[in-house]
Amino acid sequence: MRSVRRCSRTGCTNPAVATLTYAYADSTAVVGPLATYSEPHSYDLCEQHAMRLTAPRGWEVVRHEGEFAVPQPTVDDLTALAEAVREAGRADRPIEASEPVFGAGRRGHLRVLPDPHED
């Protein structure tokens, strides 16, 4: 299941429902439905920020007409999560050099613990 994407505005913790992109050549800001994937040159916005967005003088704002809605998880999301967990748990998975050696520290909020039944 995909995690809820949050609004890109500083200090806002509301769920994102729209994506803001800029067409610099046309001096246009486009606010549309939430993109399937977060892109590096776009911004996720909550409904409040999507509706209140203004652009600099000389720019135009093109805004999606209608309501914005938080996307619901799909079966594809659940399948992707299950496959990622299965892949991470494979015993034959090679350990990358960038991963810390057990006992050398933590990686994020998860730790790898040795199997007490393995010799």
Side-chain angles (χ1 to χ4, degrees):
M1 183 176 343
R2 88 180 71 150
S3 62
V4 176
R5 287 170 27 203
R6 300 284 174 200
C7 183
S8 296
R9 295 291 301 260
T10 303
C12 184
T13 59
N14 293 324
V17 296
T19 297
L20 166 65
T21 54
Y22 292 104
Y24 292 99
D26 299 325
S27 299
T28 303
V30 180
V31 180
L34 188 63
T36 306
Y37 300 100
S38 181
E39 297 289 336
H41 299 292
S42 63
Y43 303 90
D44 294 338
L45 299 175
C46 65
E47 185 171 16
Q48 177 185 6
H49 287 121
M51 298 306 290
R52 294 178 51 204
L53 178 87
T54 60
R57 183 174 290 141
W59 281 61
E60 180 182 2
V61 176
V62 175
R63 201 178 321 267
H64 167 74
E65 291 185 20
E67 295 182 21
F68 293 107
V70 177
Q72 298 300 312
T74 65
V75 174
D76 292 342
D77 294 330
L78 296 174
T79 302
L81 176 61
E83 289 175 2
V85 169
R86 191 176 306 115
E87 179 67 24
R90 279 188 22 219
D92 63 337
R93 181 175 158 248
I95 297 176
E96 297 175 13
S98 62
E99 291 187 22
V101 176
F102 178 75
R106 292 182 63 177
R107 181 176 177 181
H109 66 282
L110 302 175
R111 289 187 291 170
V112 177
L113 299 175
D115 186 345
H117 304 291
E118 284 187 21
D119 289 327

